[in-house]
PDB file of all heavy atoms in Angstrom:
ATOM      1  N   ALA A1433     122.926  95.434  88.888  1.00 79.00           N
ATOM      2  CA  ALA A1433     122.360  94.095  89.025  1.00 79.00           C
ATOM      3  C   ALA A1433     120.944  94.060  88.450  1.00 79.00           C
ATOM      4  O   ALA A1433     120.250  95.079  88.403  1.00 79.00           O
ATOM      5  CB  ALA A1433     122.335  93.687  90.481  1.00 79.00           C
ATOM      6  N   LEU A1434     120.519  92.895  88.027  1.00 87.00           N
ATOM      7  CA  LEU A1434     119.192  92.738  87.439  1.00 87.00           C
ATOM      8  C   LEU A1434     118.194  92.472  88.556  1.00 87.00           C
ATOM      9  O   LEU A1434     118.070  91.352  89.053  1.00 87.00           O
ATOM     10  CB  LEU A1434     119.194  91.593  86.419  1.00 87.00           C
ATOM     11  CG  LEU A1434     117.935  91.397  85.601  1.00 87.00           C
ATOM     12  CD1 LEU A1434     117.553  92.687  84.886  1.00 87.00           C
ATOM     13  CD2 LEU A1434     118.140  90.303  84.588  1.00 87.00           C
ATOM     14  N   VAL A1435     117.497  93.531  88.983  1.00 86.00           N
ATOM     15  CA  VAL A1435     116.469  93.454  90.019  1.00 86.00           C
ATOM     16  C   VAL A1435     115.294  94.298  89.584  1.00 86.00           C
ATOM     17  O   VAL A1435     115.403  95.129  88.691  1.00 86.00           O
ATOM     18  CB  VAL A1435     116.988  93.961  91.386  1.00 86.00           C
ATOM     19  CG1 VAL A1435     118.073  93.068  91.935  1.00 86.00           C
ATOM     20  CG2 VAL A1435     117.468  95.387  91.298  1.00 86.00           C
ATOM     21  N   ARG A1436     114.149  94.071  90.220  1.00 87.00           N
ATOM     22  CA  ARG A1436     112.968  94.895  89.956  1.00 87.00           C
ATOM     23  C   ARG A1436     112.995  96.070  90.917  1.00 87.00           C
ATOM     24  O   ARG A1436     112.905  95.892  92.127  1.00 87.00           O
ATOM     25  CB  ARG A1436     111.698  94.070  90.154  1.00 87.00           C
ATOM     26  CG  ARG A1436     111.537  92.984  89.118  1.00 87.00           C
ATOM     27  CD  ARG A1436     110.240  92.233  89.235  1.00 87.00           C
ATOM     28  NE  ARG A1436     110.101  91.615  90.533  1.00 87.00           N
ATOM     29  CZ  ARG A1436     109.024  91.757  91.312  1.00 87.00           C
ATOM     30  NH1 ARG A1436     107.998  92.476  90.923  1.00 87.00           N
ATOM     31  NH2 ARG A1436     108.966  91.162  92.476  1.00 87.00           N
ATOM     32  N   PRO A1437     113.126  97.292  90.408  1.00 85.00           N
ATOM     33  CA  PRO A1437     113.230  98.463  91.285  1.00 85.00           C
ATOM     34  C   PRO A1437     111.907  98.764  91.982  1.00 85.00           C
ATOM     35  O   PRO A1437     110.838  98.411  91.508  1.00 85.00           O
ATOM     36  CB  PRO A1437     113.605  99.593  90.323  1.00 85.00           C
ATOM     37  CG  PRO A1437     113.103  99.164  89.008  1.00 85.00           C
ATOM     38  CD  PRO A1437     113.192  97.669  88.996  1.00 85.00           C
ATOM     39  N   ARG A1438     112.011  99.409  93.117  1.00 84.00           N
ATOM     40  CA  ARG A1438     110.803  99.789  93.861  1.00 84.00           C
ATOM     41  C   ARG A1438     110.142 101.029  93.282  1.00 84.00           C
ATOM     42  O   ARG A1438     108.947 101.221  93.418  1.00 84.00           O
ATOM     43  CB  ARG A1438     111.149 100.023  95.328  1.00 84.00           C
ATOM     44  CG  ARG A1438     111.647  98.778  96.008  1.00 84.00           C
ATOM     45  CD  ARG A1438     111.164  98.744  97.438  1.00 84.00           C
ATOM     46  NE  ARG A1438     111.623  97.521  98.076  1.00 84.00           N
ATOM     47  CZ  ARG A1438     110.834  96.484  98.266  1.00 84.00           C
ATOM     48  NH1 ARG A1438     109.595  96.501  97.878  1.00 84.00           N
ATOM     49  NH2 ARG A1438     111.293  95.414  98.855  1.00 84.00           N
ATOM     50  N   ASP A1439     110.916 101.886  92.625  1.00 83.00           N
ATOM     51  CA  ASP A1439     110.354 103.095  92.018  1.00 83.00           C
ATOM     52  C   ASP A1439     110.389 102.960  90.495  1.00 83.00           C
ATOM     53  O   ASP A1439     111.233 102.275  89.949  1.00 83.00           O
ATOM     54  CB  ASP A1439     111.124 104.337  92.460  1.00 83.00           C
ATOM     55  CG  ASP A1439     112.603 104.249  92.111  1.00 83.00           C
ATOM     56  OD1 ASP A1439     113.118 103.128  91.955  1.00 83.00           O
ATOM     57  OD2 ASP A1439     113.228 105.304  91.990  1.00 83.00           O
ATOM     58  N   GLY A1440     109.439 103.555  89.828  1.00 80.00           N
ATOM     59  CA  GLY A1440     109.392 103.529  88.387  1.00 80.00           C
ATOM     60  C   GLY A1440     108.676 102.334  87.800  1.00 80.00           C
ATOM     61  O   GLY A1440     108.734 102.102  86.596  1.00 80.00           O
ATOM     62  N   ARG A1441     107.995 101.564  88.625  1.00 83.00           N
ATOM     63  CA  ARG A1441     107.262 100.397  88.142  1.00 83.00           C
ATOM     64  C   ARG A1441     105.950 100.821  87.504  1.00 83.00           C
ATOM     65  O   ARG A1441     105.353 101.805  87.897  1.00 83.00           O
ATOM     66  CB  ARG A1441     106.862  99.462  89.271  1.00 83.00           C
ATOM     67  CG  ARG A1441     107.967  98.807  89.974  1.00 83.00           C
ATOM     68  CD  ARG A1441     107.376  97.876  91.003  1.00 83.00           C
ATOM     69  NE  ARG A1441     108.436  97.118  91.629  1.00 83.00           N
ATOM     70  CZ  ARG A1441     108.238  96.104  92.414  1.00 83.00           C
ATOM     71  NH1 ARG A1441     107.022  95.726  92.711  1.00 83.00           N
ATOM     72  NH2 ARG A1441     109.244  95.473  92.932  1.00 83.00           N
TER      73      ARG A1441
END
Side-chain angles (χ1 to χ4, degrees):
L1434 187 55
V1435 295
R1436 292 184 301 129
R1438 296 216 178 258
D1439 57 337
R1441 294 184 175 190

